[in-house]
Amino acid sequence: MASSVQTAVTQAVGQVKDQFSKLTPNQQYAVAIAGGLSTVYLLSQLGGKREASSASKPSSFELTGGSIAKGNVKKEFQAYAASFGKEAGDGIVDRSKTVHLVDVFYSLVTDMYEWGWGQSFHFSPKLPGKDLRSSEAAHEARIAATLNLAPGMKCLDCGCGVGGPMRTIASTSGAHVTGITINEYQVSRAKHHNKQQNVSDLTNVVRGDFLNMPFESRTFDAAYAIEATCHAPQLELVYAEIYRVLKPGALFVSYEWVSTSDFNRSDPEHVKIIDEINFGNGLPEMRTWLEAETAGKFVGFELVNSLDLATCSSVAGPWWDRLKMGKYTHQCNQAIVNTLDFFGIAPAGLKEVHHMLVDVAKSLVRGGETNVFSPMHFLVFRKPLDATN
């Protein structure tokens, strides 16, 4: 039976190819576009069914520029791209614009991230015998355990995105988690997901600059940042603000993006990898793991632990494997976005944003394979009991 079905399919494909080859170039182009749009429509309908049942992500037809008006997406992306220097190691040239550029970046990519990745905007080591989602949840729950979170405690999520980790950490610990993000669109998405997943009572999300947070000093019993403080123009600035809003004796955990001890500033390939990662992720520059440690101690924290979770386990799979496995998904998504762009369904400029994300995925893989970059250097700091702000 299987053999006869395979033969029939092969014959049908052959007939389609034969008929297609007889068309003029213009006819072939029209058929290809029509086929592409039909594919997008069908995928969108499938996505819409999932959306209706779980409200988990935007469908293909719902991709937007977040807080940016549809007609301004291309202009904003071009301005974002132009803000990075042309020389090796430049990063964002005018660091005073970092906060604004990060806000723009997350308006441009948030729908793309949810559509193609999920609600937790971070990487995770692949645990033996566990699927990607379980490994992701374990990576988040590690923070709740490290912070000793419990019911009645108030915890800060510094740079919360759309709140994926927040929901895991609040749900597993029973603590109340307040998230802060610079991007208004992410605030609305996070609140939407919190309501859909029935965790609104244990969570709150506010828009604000984590360099100048709208909280009183000594408000929180604990704090964490997951691949977020890397966006600060200076680590000392955001670490000092987190220090301010923590109670004396409180712990702060960060999964920090860093260049590792294997990074060589004199190696052009290493520098190129880091430059591409910075551009494709809205980072002003890349700090070393030692610079991150030093920044925390400089503002008054005691360093409790420092460990690269990317390499500390001999049995966990590489964090970048998910990017490699998603290679063909990236290509399919690119075809969908290109088609949506051609017909004016997606905002002009969103195609270029997706190209950027596809390109940086390759750079991230190279960063992991060469071990010059880690997105998960685990830092645990404590605010001293006798601390003064």
Side-chain angles (χ1 to χ4, degrees):
M1 170 67 84
S3 177
S4 61
V5 171
Q6 183 178 4
T7 300
V9 170
T10 301
Q11 291 175 344
V13 170
Q15 291 172 357
V16 170
K17 287 182 176 179
D18 181 61
Q19 293 299 317
F20 186 78
S21 65
K22 296 177 181 178
L23 300 175
T24 66
N26 286 340
Q27 290 173 326
Q28 290 178 349
Y29 184 72
V31 169
I33 290 296
L37 187 59
S38 299
T39 300
V40 170
Y41 175 77
L42 291 172
L43 290 172
S44 169
Q45 294 305 299
L46 291 173
K49 292 177 182 178
R50 287 194 297 270
E51 175 77 11
S53 62
S54 65
S56 63
K57 64 179 181 179
S59 70
S60 304
F61 279 91
E62 295 171 324
L63 297 176
T64 70
S67 302
I68 300 171
K70 183 176 181 180
N72 293 334
V73 169
K74 187 170 185 177
K75 179 181 69 175
E76 291 289 352
F77 176 69
Q78 289 173 340
Y80 167 82
S83 69
F84 285 79
K86 305 304 180 186
E87 300 299 321
D90 274 352
I92 293 177
V93 176
D94 185 351
R95 298 296 166 86
S96 68
K97 296 180 179 179
T98 300
V99 174
H100 167 71
L101 291 169
V102 172
D103 186 15
V104 168
F105 175 81
Y106 277 110
S107 280
L108 293 171
V109 304
T110 290
D111 275 355
M112 295 282 196
Y113 278 6
E114 285 203 62
W115 179 58
W117 188 265
Q119 295 173 21
S120 293
F121 298 173
H122 65 79
F123 299 105
S124 311
K126 176 67 167 59
L127 301 181
K130 304 296 182 183
D131 61 18
L132 292 172
R133 295 303 180 194
S134 298
S135 298
E136 182 178 85
H139 196 55
E140 296 164 358
R142 179 202 301 267
I143 289 177
T146 302
L147 293 174
N148 298 312
L149 293 180
M153 294 179 68
K154 294 195 297 183
C155 182
L156 171 67
D157 182 334
C158 193
C160 65
V162 299
M166 170 197 302
R167 289 182 282 279
T168 299
I169 290 168
S171 299
T172 56
S173 69
H176 186 278
V177 180
T178 296
I180 185 169
T181 171
I182 191 65
N183 187 258
E184 183 62 42
Y185 183 66
Q186 289 191 335
V187 172
S188 65
R189 292 298 297 164
K191 288 184 174 181
H192 166 78
H193 293 311
N194 291 349
K195 182 179 179 180
Q196 291 292 323
Q197 297 177 35
N198 298 314
V199 295
S200 294
D201 290 346
L202 282 180
T203 58
N204 185 35
V205 188
V206 300
R207 186 192 181 190
D209 180 358
F210 60 23
L211 304 180
N212 185 26
M213 290 189 274
F215 309 121
E216 296 293 329
S217 298
R218 304 188 178 198
T219 295
F220 296 100
D221 301 295
Y224 65 87
I226 300 179
E227 304 184 23
T229 50
C230 52
H231 291 295
Q234 289 180 254
L235 272 182
E236 291 85 354
L237 297 178
V238 63
Y239 282 1
E241 187 66 352
I242 294 170
Y243 183 94
R244 180 185 70 81
V245 301
L246 284 176
K247 296 176 182 178
L251 293 174
F252 164 51
V253 168
S254 181
Y255 288 165
E256 200 65 61
W257 280 37
V258 298
S259 56
T260 71
S261 56
D262 287 345
F263 173 72
N264 181 358
R265 295 182 186 276
S266 300
D267 187 324
E269 177 61 18
H270 288 188
V271 174
K272 183 173 183 288
I273 290 170
I274 296 299
D275 281 347
E276 290 171 350
I277 290 174
N278 289 341
F279 172 70
N281 291 280
L283 272 61
E285 63 178 352
M286 187 71 68
R287 289 91 190 198
T288 69
W289 59 275
L290 185 57
E291 287 172 336
E293 287 183 2
T294 303
K297 290 186 285 188
F298 178 80
V299 304
F301 280 120
E302 300 168 348
L303 180 63
V304 178
N305 197 4
S306 178
L307 180 69
D308 188 359
L309 299 180
T311 57
C312 69
S313 172
S314 62
V315 297
W319 58 266
W320 65 87
D321 262 4
R322 183 177 175 187
L323 290 172
K324 292 185 73 173
M325 289 188 293
K327 175 181 176 182
Y328 296 108
T329 302
H330 298 162
Q331 293 174 353
C332 290
N333 288 347
Q334 188 67 72
I336 292 172
V337 172
N338 288 348
T339 303
L340 293 170
D341 176 81
F342 180 85
F343 285 98
I345 298 170
L350 212 61
K351 178 179 71 173
E352 287 76 15
V353 174
H354 194 267
H355 284 164
M356 175 186 73
L357 297 180
V358 171
D359 287 342
V360 79
K362 301 171 187 174
S363 303
L364 287 162
V365 170
R366 292 203 307 275
E369 289 177 336
T370 58
N371 194 40
V372 301
F373 164 74
S374 172
M376 55 188 68
H377 195 93
F378 180 57
L379 292 169
V380 184
F381 293 110
R382 178 185 288 112
K383 184 174 181 176
L385 282 169
D386 60 353
T388 57
N389 287 314

mmCIF file of all heavy atoms in Angstrom, residues 77-120:
data_model
loop_
_atom_site.group_PDB
_atom_site.id
_atom_site.type_symbol
_atom_site.label_atom_id
_atom_site.label_comp_id
_atom_site.label_asym_id
_atom_site.label_seq_id
_atom_site.Cartn_x
_atom_site.Cartn_y
_atom_site.Cartn_z
ATOM 1 N N PHE A 77 13.320 50.763 11.458
ATOM 2 C CA PHE A 77 14.349 49.727 11.343
ATOM 3 C C PHE A 77 15.610 50.292 10.703
ATOM 4 O O PHE A 77 16.731 49.977 11.130
ATOM 5 C CB PHE A 77 13.850 48.533 10.534
ATOM 6 C CG PHE A 77 14.919 47.495 10.312
ATOM 7 C CD1 PHE A 77 15.393 46.731 11.366
ATOM 8 C CD2 PHE A 77 15.494 47.308 9.061
ATOM 9 C CE1 PHE A 77 16.401 45.787 11.187
ATOM 10 C CE2 PHE A 77 16.500 46.371 8.861
ATOM 11 C CZ PHE A 77 16.951 45.604 9.932
ATOM 12 N N GLN A 78 15.442 51.115 9.694
ATOM 13 C CA GLN A 78 16.613 51.722 9.047
ATOM 14 C C GLN A 78 17.384 52.609 10.026
ATOM 15 O O GLN A 78 18.621 52.603 10.041
ATOM 16 C CB GLN A 78 16.163 52.533 7.833
ATOM 17 C CG GLN A 78 15.677 51.674 6.667
ATOM 18 C CD GLN A 78 15.066 52.499 5.537
ATOM 19 O OE1 GLN A 78 14.665 53.647 5.732
ATOM 20 N NE2 GLN A 78 14.985 51.909 4.351
ATOM 21 N N ALA A 79 16.668 53.343 10.875
ATOM 22 C CA ALA A 79 17.326 54.192 11.873
ATOM 23 C C ALA A 79 18.038 53.335 12.912
ATOM 24 O O ALA A 79 19.153 53.669 13.349
ATOM 25 C CB ALA A 79 16.298 55.096 12.550
ATOM 26 N N TYR A 80 17.413 52.221 13.292
ATOM 27 C CA TYR A 80 18.035 51.289 14.229
ATOM 28 C C TYR A 80 19.342 50.748 13.641
ATOM 29 O O TYR A 80 20.395 50.765 14.297
ATOM 30 C CB TYR A 80 17.082 50.132 14.540
ATOM 31 C CG TYR A 80 17.740 48.970 15.248
ATOM 32 C CD1 TYR A 80 17.935 48.996 16.619
ATOM 33 C CD2 TYR A 80 18.178 47.854 14.524
ATOM 34 C CE1 TYR A 80 18.557 47.934 17.276
ATOM 35 C CE2 TYR A 80 18.802 46.795 15.176
ATOM 36 C CZ TYR A 80 18.981 46.838 16.540
ATOM 37 O OH TYR A 80 19.610 45.783 17.179
ATOM 38 N N ALA A 81 19.293 50.289 12.399
ATOM 39 C CA ALA A 81 20.475 49.714 11.751
ATOM 40 C C ALA A 81 21.593 50.750 11.636
ATOM 41 O O ALA A 81 22.775 50.434 11.824
ATOM 42 C CB ALA A 81 20.105 49.159 10.379
ATOM 43 N N ALA A 82 21.225 51.985 11.349
ATOM 44 C CA ALA A 82 22.221 53.040 11.157
ATOM 45 C C ALA A 82 22.887 53.458 12.465
ATOM 46 O O ALA A 82 23.927 54.120 12.444
ATOM 47 C CB ALA A 82 21.566 54.254 10.504
ATOM 48 N N SER A 83 22.311 53.073 13.596
ATOM 49 C CA SER A 83 22.863 53.482 14.890
ATOM 50 C C SER A 83 24.096 52.681 15.285
ATOM 51 O O SER A 83 24.814 53.072 16.215
ATOM 52 C CB SER A 83 21.792 53.347 15.981
ATOM 53 O OG SER A 83 21.495 51.976 16.225
ATOM 54 N N PHE A 84 24.363 51.580 14.580
ATOM 55 C CA PHE A 84 25.525 50.750 14.879
ATOM 56 C C PHE A 84 26.715 51.194 14.017
ATOM 57 O O PHE A 84 26.561 51.487 12.832
ATOM 58 C CB PHE A 84 25.215 49.269 14.625
ATOM 59 C CG PHE A 84 24.347 48.650 15.688
ATOM 60 C CD1 PHE A 84 22.979 48.860 15.697
ATOM 61 C CD2 PHE A 84 24.912 47.880 16.691
ATOM 62 C CE1 PHE A 84 22.172 48.308 16.690
ATOM 63 C CE2 PHE A 84 24.118 47.322 17.687
ATOM 64 C CZ PHE A 84 22.750 47.539 17.690
ATOM 65 N N GLY A 85 27.881 51.229 14.644
ATOM 66 C CA GLY A 85 29.079 51.659 13.940
ATOM 67 C C GLY A 85 29.503 50.686 12.860
ATOM 68 O O GLY A 85 29.112 49.505 12.874
ATOM 69 N N LYS A 86 30.310 51.147 11.943
ATOM 70 C CA LYS A 86 30.756 50.322 10.823
ATOM 71 C C LYS A 86 32.082 49.621 11.102
ATOM 72 O O LYS A 86 32.450 48.682 10.402
ATOM 73 C CB LYS A 86 30.903 51.184 9.559
ATOM 74 C CG LYS A 86 29.640 51.955 9.185
ATOM 75 C CD LYS A 86 28.431 51.043 9.018
ATOM 76 C CE LYS A 86 27.175 51.843 8.648
ATOM 77 N NZ LYS A 86 25.969 50.982 8.616
ATOM 78 N N GLU A 87 32.799 50.096 12.115
ATOM 79 C CA GLU A 87 34.094 49.491 12.439
ATOM 80 C C GLU A 87 33.912 48.331 13.413
ATOM 81 O O GLU A 87 32.955 48.293 14.199
ATOM 82 C CB GLU A 87 35.024 50.536 13.048
ATOM 83 C CG GLU A 87 35.318 51.720 12.132
ATOM 84 C CD GLU A 87 36.003 51.293 10.849
ATOM 85 O OE1 GLU A 87 36.858 50.392 10.906
ATOM 86 O OE2 GLU A 87 35.679 51.864 9.783
ATOM 87 N N ALA A 88 34.842 47.378 13.374
ATOM 88 C CA ALA A 88 34.785 46.209 14.241
ATOM 89 C C ALA A 88 34.757 46.632 15.703
ATOM 90 O O ALA A 88 35.565 47.442 16.141
ATOM 91 C CB ALA A 88 35.986 45.302 13.983
ATOM 92 N N GLY A 89 33.787 46.074 16.431
ATOM 93 C CA GLY A 89 33.702 46.340 17.860
ATOM 94 C C GLY A 89 32.992 47.622 18.238
ATOM 95 O O GLY A 89 32.912 47.956 19.431
ATOM 96 N N ASP A 90 32.412 48.346 17.268
ATOM 97 C CA ASP A 90 31.788 49.641 17.562
ATOM 98 C C ASP A 90 30.531 49.515 18.421
ATOM 99 O O ASP A 90 30.334 50.273 19.367
ATOM 100 C CB ASP A 90 31.429 50.370 16.268
ATOM 101 C CG ASP A 90 32.583 51.170 15.708
ATOM 102 O OD1 ASP A 90 33.610 51.287 16.406
ATOM 103 O OD2 ASP A 90 32.469 51.675 14.569
ATOM 104 N N GLY A 91 29.633 48.592 18.056
ATOM 105 C CA GLY A 91 28.344 48.526 18.726
ATOM 106 C C GLY A 91 27.520 49.766 18.439
ATOM 107 O O GLY A 91 27.657 50.407 17.390
ATOM 108 N N ILE A 92 26.627 50.130 19.385
ATOM 109 C CA ILE A 92 25.848 51.358 19.238
ATOM 110 C C ILE A 92 26.779 52.539 19.461
ATOM 111 O O ILE A 92 27.420 52.639 20.510
ATOM 112 C CB ILE A 92 24.673 51.378 20.238
ATOM 113 C CG1 ILE A 92 23.653 50.286 19.873
ATOM 114 C CG2 ILE A 92 23.996 52.746 20.232
ATOM 115 C CD1 ILE A 92 22.494 50.176 20.852
ATOM 116 N N VAL A 93 26.836 53.425 18.477
ATOM 117 C CA VAL A 93 27.806 54.523 18.522
ATOM 118 C C VAL A 93 27.451 55.541 19.599
ATOM 119 O O VAL A 93 28.280 55.902 20.433
ATOM 120 C CB VAL A 93 27.912 55.202 17.149
ATOM 121 C CG1 VAL A 93 28.845 56.397 17.224
ATOM 122 C CG2 VAL A 93 28.407 54.205 16.105
ATOM 123 N N ASP A 94 26.198 56.010 19.595
ATOM 124 C CA ASP A 94 25.757 56.992 20.582
ATOM 125 C C ASP A 94 25.024 56.258 21.702
ATOM 126 O O ASP A 94 23.833 55.968 21.594
ATOM 127 C CB ASP A 94 24.841 58.023 19.920
ATOM 128 C CG ASP A 94 24.438 59.152 20.867
ATOM 129 O OD1 ASP A 94 24.728 59.041 22.075
ATOM 130 O OD2 ASP A 94 23.828 60.130 20.392
ATOM 131 N N ARG A 95 25.739 55.963 22.787
ATOM 132 C CA ARG A 95 25.155 55.154 23.867
ATOM 133 C C ARG A 95 23.994 55.862 24.563
ATOM 134 O O ARG A 95 23.194 55.206 25.235
ATOM 135 C CB ARG A 95 26.241 54.783 24.884
ATOM 136 C CG ARG A 95 27.375 53.937 24.290
ATOM 137 C CD ARG A 95 26.867 52.582 23.811
ATOM 138 N NE ARG A 95 27.833 51.913 22.967
ATOM 139 C CZ ARG A 95 28.828 51.145 23.427
ATOM 140 N NH1 ARG A 95 28.991 50.977 24.725
ATOM 141 N NH2 ARG A 95 29.652 50.557 22.584
ATOM 142 N N SER A 96 23.898 57.183 24.424
ATOM 143 C CA SER A 96 22.781 57.901 25.043
ATOM 144 C C SER A 96 21.445 57.519 24.408
ATOM 145 O O SER A 96 20.376 57.753 24.988
ATOM 146 C CB SER A 96 22.989 59.415 24.937
ATOM 147 O OG SER A 96 22.906 59.858 23.583
ATOM 148 N N LYS A 97 21.485 56.923 23.210
ATOM 149 C CA LYS A 97 20.262 56.511 22.514
ATOM 150 C C LYS A 97 19.900 55.056 22.779
ATOM 151 O O LYS A 97 18.928 54.545 22.220
ATOM 152 C CB LYS A 97 20.426 56.724 20.999
ATOM 153 C CG LYS A 97 20.614 58.185 20.587
ATOM 154 C CD LYS A 97 20.757 58.307 19.085
ATOM 155 C CE LYS A 97 20.928 59.767 18.651
ATOM 156 N NZ LYS A 97 21.096 59.884 17.179
ATOM 157 N N THR A 98 20.666 54.373 23.625
ATOM 158 C CA THR A 98 20.477 52.941 23.826
ATOM 159 C C THR A 98 19.069 52.589 24.277
ATOM 160 O O THR A 98 18.433 51.670 23.740
ATOM 161 C CB THR A 98 21.494 52.401 24.854
ATOM 162 O OG1 THR A 98 22.825 52.632 24.370
ATOM 163 C CG2 THR A 98 21.298 50.912 25.067
ATOM 164 N N VAL A 99 18.550 53.297 25.278
ATOM 165 C CA VAL A 99 17.224 52.973 25.815
ATOM 166 C C VAL A 99 16.166 53.077 24.720
ATOM 167 O O VAL A 99 15.320 52.188 24.562
ATOM 168 C CB VAL A 99 16.878 53.893 26.998
ATOM 169 C CG1 VAL A 99 15.433 53.656 27.456
ATOM 170 C CG2 VAL A 99 17.840 53.658 28.159
ATOM 171 N N HIS A 100 16.201 54.160 23.939
ATOM 172 C CA HIS A 100 15.240 54.333 22.842
ATOM 173 C C HIS A 100 15.390 53.226 21.805
ATOM 174 O O HIS A 100 14.388 52.661 21.333
ATOM 175 C CB HIS A 100 15.450 55.693 22.181
ATOM 176 C CG HIS A 100 14.722 55.835 20.872
ATOM 177 N ND1 HIS A 100 13.345 55.949 20.787
ATOM 178 C CD2 HIS A 100 15.183 55.859 19.579
ATOM 179 C CE1 HIS A 100 12.990 56.036 19.519
ATOM 180 N NE2 HIS A 100 14.080 55.984 18.769
ATOM 181 N N LEU A 101 16.626 52.889 21.454
ATOM 182 C CA LEU A 101 16.852 51.872 20.424
ATOM 183 C C LEU A 101 16.400 50.495 20.884
ATOM 184 O O LEU A 101 15.882 49.706 20.084
ATOM 185 C CB LEU A 101 18.333 51.851 20.043
ATOM 186 C CG LEU A 101 18.830 53.085 19.280
ATOM 187 C CD1 LEU A 101 20.345 53.087 19.182
ATOM 188 C CD2 LEU A 101 18.204 53.147 17.889
ATOM 189 N N VAL A 102 16.566 50.180 22.164
ATOM 190 C CA VAL A 102 16.090 48.904 22.689
ATOM 191 C C VAL A 102 14.566 48.847 22.640
ATOM 192 O O VAL A 102 13.974 47.809 22.303
ATOM 193 C CB VAL A 102 16.604 48.685 24.132
ATOM 194 C CG1 VAL A 102 15.941 47.458 24.760
ATOM 195 C CG2 VAL A 102 18.122 48.518 24.133
ATOM 196 N N ASP A 103 13.911 49.960 22.949
ATOM 197 C CA ASP A 103 12.456 50.044 22.851
ATOM 198 C C ASP A 103 12.011 49.784 21.409
ATOM 199 O O ASP A 103 11.089 48.989 21.149
ATOM 200 C CB ASP A 103 11.996 51.422 23.316
ATOM 201 C CG ASP A 103 10.479 51.551 23.395
ATOM 202 O OD1 ASP A 103 9.782 50.521 23.362
ATOM 203 O OD2 ASP A 103 9.997 52.701 23.494
ATOM 204 N N VAL A 104 12.678 50.436 20.449
ATOM 205 C CA VAL A 104 12.370 50.231 19.032
ATOM 206 C C VAL A 104 12.610 48.771 18.645
ATOM 207 O O VAL A 104 11.771 48.145 17.971
ATOM 208 C CB VAL A 104 13.228 51.159 18.145
ATOM 209 C CG1 VAL A 104 13.130 50.752 16.673
ATOM 210 C CG2 VAL A 104 12.795 52.608 18.327
ATOM 211 N N PHE A 105 13.738 48.231 19.066
ATOM 212 C CA PHE A 105 14.080 46.849 18.728
ATOM 213 C C PHE A 105 12.970 45.897 19.157
ATOM 214 O O PHE A 105 12.539 45.034 18.381
ATOM 215 C CB PHE A 105 15.399 46.466 19.393
ATOM 216 C CG PHE A 105 15.779 45.019 19.214
ATOM 217 C CD1 PHE A 105 16.374 44.576 18.050
ATOM 218 C CD2 PHE A 105 15.530 44.090 20.223
ATOM 219 C CE1 PHE A 105 16.724 43.236 17.875
ATOM 220 C CE2 PHE A 105 15.868 42.755 20.067
ATOM 221 C CZ PHE A 105 16.467 42.332 18.886
ATOM 222 N N TYR A 106 12.491 46.050 20.392
ATOM 223 C CA TYR A 106 11.481 45.098 20.877
ATOM 224 C C TYR A 106 10.105 45.336 20.269
ATOM 225 O O TYR A 106 9.300 44.400 20.196
ATOM 226 C CB TYR A 106 11.453 45.091 22.400
ATOM 227 C CG TYR A 106 12.534 44.175 22.951
ATOM 228 C CD1 TYR A 106 13.644 44.682 23.607
ATOM 229 C CD2 TYR A 106 12.461 42.800 22.734
ATOM 230 C CE1 TYR A 106 14.646 43.842 24.066
ATOM 231 C CE2 TYR A 106 13.459 41.952 23.186
ATOM 232 C CZ TYR A 106 14.551 42.464 23.848
ATOM 233 O OH TYR A 106 15.542 41.633 24.272
ATOM 234 N N SER A 107 9.825 46.542 19.817
ATOM 235 C CA SER A 107 8.606 46.719 19.031
ATOM 236 C C SER A 107 8.707 45.953 17.715
ATOM 237 O O SER A 107 7.746 45.325 17.265
ATOM 238 C CB SER A 107 8.366 48.204 18.743
ATOM 239 O OG SER A 107 7.783 48.859 19.843
ATOM 240 N N LEU A 108 9.879 45.996 17.106
ATOM 241 C CA LEU A 108 10.080 45.341 15.813
ATOM 242 C C LEU A 108 10.054 43.824 15.913
ATOM 243 O O LEU A 108 9.579 43.144 14.997
ATOM 244 C CB LEU A 108 11.417 45.789 15.214
ATOM 245 C CG LEU A 108 11.528 47.260 14.795
ATOM 246 C CD1 LEU A 108 12.975 47.604 14.437
ATOM 247 C CD2 LEU A 108 10.605 47.567 13.619
ATOM 248 N N VAL A 109 10.569 43.254 17.008
ATOM 249 C CA VAL A 109 10.788 41.802 17.029
ATOM 250 C C VAL A 109 9.826 41.017 17.908
ATOM 251 O O VAL A 109 9.783 39.778 17.810
ATOM 252 C CB VAL A 109 12.231 41.468 17.476
ATOM 253 C CG1 VAL A 109 13.252 42.162 16.584
ATOM 254 C CG2 VAL A 109 12.468 41.796 18.950
ATOM 255 N N THR A 110 9.040 41.665 18.764
ATOM 256 C CA THR A 110 8.247 40.903 19.741
ATOM 257 C C THR A 110 7.282 39.935 19.078
ATOM 258 O O THR A 110 7.195 38.760 19.461
ATOM 259 C CB THR A 110 7.497 41.862 20.692
ATOM 260 O OG1 THR A 110 8.451 42.503 21.540
ATOM 261 C CG2 THR A 110 6.501 41.106 21.557
ATOM 262 N N ASP A 111 6.534 40.387 18.082
ATOM 263 C CA ASP A 111 5.621 39.464 17.383
ATOM 264 C C ASP A 111 6.397 38.326 16.729
ATOM 265 O O ASP A 111 5.959 37.162 16.743
ATOM 266 C CB ASP A 111 4.810 40.211 16.329
ATOM 267 C CG ASP A 111 3.566 40.859 16.900
ATOM 268 O OD1 ASP A 111 3.275 40.666 18.093
ATOM 269 O OD2 ASP A 111 2.869 41.580 16.148
ATOM 270 N N MET A 112 7.535 38.648 16.125
ATOM 271 C CA MET A 112 8.369 37.625 15.482
ATOM 272 C C MET A 112 8.836 36.598 16.507
ATOM 273 O O MET A 112 8.837 35.384 16.247
ATOM 274 C CB MET A 112 9.595 38.280 14.834
ATOM 275 C CG MET A 112 9.278 39.204 13.690
ATOM 276 S SD MET A 112 8.909 38.301 12.171
ATOM 277 C CE MET A 112 9.076 39.635 10.992
ATOM 278 N N TYR A 113 9.278 37.065 17.663
ATOM 279 C CA TYR A 113 9.741 36.156 18.711
ATOM 280 C C TYR A 113 8.624 35.209 19.154
ATOM 281 O O TYR A 113 8.821 34.000 19.276
ATOM 282 C CB TYR A 113 10.226 36.958 19.924
ATOM 283 C CG TYR A 113 11.632 37.505 19.833
ATOM 284 C CD1 TYR A 113 12.397 37.405 18.676
ATOM 285 C CD2 TYR A 113 12.205 38.150 20.926
ATOM 286 C CE1 TYR A 113 13.684 37.922 18.610
ATOM 287 C CE2 TYR A 113 13.495 38.670 20.879
ATOM 288 C CZ TYR A 113 14.223 38.552 19.715
ATOM 289 O OH TYR A 113 15.497 39.059 19.671
ATOM 290 N N GLU A 114 7.455 35.778 19.430
ATOM 291 C CA GLU A 114 6.340 34.930 19.879
ATOM 292 C C GLU A 114 5.919 33.951 18.789
ATOM 293 O O GLU A 114 5.630 32.782 19.061
ATOM 294 C CB GLU A 114 5.152 35.803 20.277
ATOM 295 C CG GLU A 114 5.306 36.516 21.599
ATOM 296 C CD GLU A 114 3.964 36.893 22.199
ATOM 297 O OE1 GLU A 114 3.164 35.977 22.489
ATOM 298 O OE2 GLU A 114 3.708 38.097 22.357
ATOM 299 N N TRP A 115 5.881 34.428 17.568
ATOM 300 C CA TRP A 115 5.445 33.614 16.424
ATOM 301 C C TRP A 115 6.410 32.471 16.150
ATOM 302 O O TRP A 115 5.994 31.332 15.924
ATOM 303 C CB TRP A 115 5.340 34.538 15.204
ATOM 304 C CG TRP A 115 4.922 33.896 13.915
ATOM 305 C CD1 TRP A 115 3.774 33.209 13.673
ATOM 306 C CD2 TRP A 115 5.648 33.929 12.676
ATOM 307 N NE1 TRP A 115 3.735 32.802 12.348
ATOM 308 C CE2 TRP A 115 4.874 33.226 11.723
ATOM 309 C CE3 TRP A 115 6.861 34.475 12.285
ATOM 310 C CZ2 TRP A 115 5.286 33.071 10.399
ATOM 311 C CZ3 TRP A 115 7.262 34.321 10.971
ATOM 312 C CH2 TRP A 115 6.483 33.625 10.050
ATOM 313 N N GLY A 116 7.715 32.768 16.205
ATOM 314 C CA GLY A 116 8.695 31.756 15.812
ATOM 315 C C GLY A 116 9.415 31.071 16.945
ATOM 316 O O GLY A 116 10.109 30.066 16.719
ATOM 317 N N TRP A 117 9.278 31.587 18.196
ATOM 318 C CA TRP A 117 10.065 31.028 19.313
ATOM 319 C C TRP A 117 9.198 30.643 20.499
ATOM 320 O O TRP A 117 9.272 29.529 21.003
ATOM 321 C CB TRP A 117 11.124 32.052 19.738
ATOM 322 C CG TRP A 117 12.112 31.555 20.741
ATOM 323 C CD1 TRP A 117 12.053 31.713 22.107
ATOM 324 C CD2 TRP A 117 13.310 30.812 20.491
ATOM 325 N NE1 TRP A 117 13.136 31.132 22.708
ATOM 326 C CE2 TRP A 117 13.934 30.575 21.735
ATOM 327 C CE3 TRP A 117 13.926 30.357 19.325
ATOM 328 C CZ2 TRP A 117 15.134 29.870 21.851
ATOM 329 C CZ3 TRP A 117 15.128 29.661 19.436
ATOM 330 C CH2 TRP A 117 15.710 29.426 20.690
ATOM 331 N N GLY A 118 8.385 31.575 20.977
ATOM 332 C CA GLY A 118 7.557 31.305 22.146
ATOM 333 C C GLY A 118 7.474 32.520 23.044
ATOM 334 O O GLY A 118 7.854 33.632 22.662
ATOM 335 N N GLN A 119 6.996 32.330 24.256
ATOM 336 C CA GLN A 119 6.783 33.438 25.183
ATOM 337 C C GLN A 119 7.978 33.699 26.091
ATOM 338 O O GLN A 119 8.001 34.712 26.802
ATOM 339 C CB GLN A 119 5.544 33.157 26.039
ATOM 340 C CG GLN A 119 4.258 33.105 25.246
ATOM 341 C CD GLN A 119 3.072 32.654 26.078
ATOM 342 O OE1 GLN A 119 3.087 32.730 27.299
ATOM 343 N NE2 GLN A 119 2.034 32.176 25.405
ATOM 344 N N SER A 120 8.941 32.810 26.102
ATOM 345 C CA SER A 120 10.143 32.987 26.920
ATOM 346 C C SER A 120 11.298 33.355 26.011
ATOM 347 O O SER A 120 11.849 32.502 25.305
ATOM 348 C CB SER A 120 10.452 31.698 27.695
ATOM 349 O OG SER A 120 9.457 31.439 28.665
#
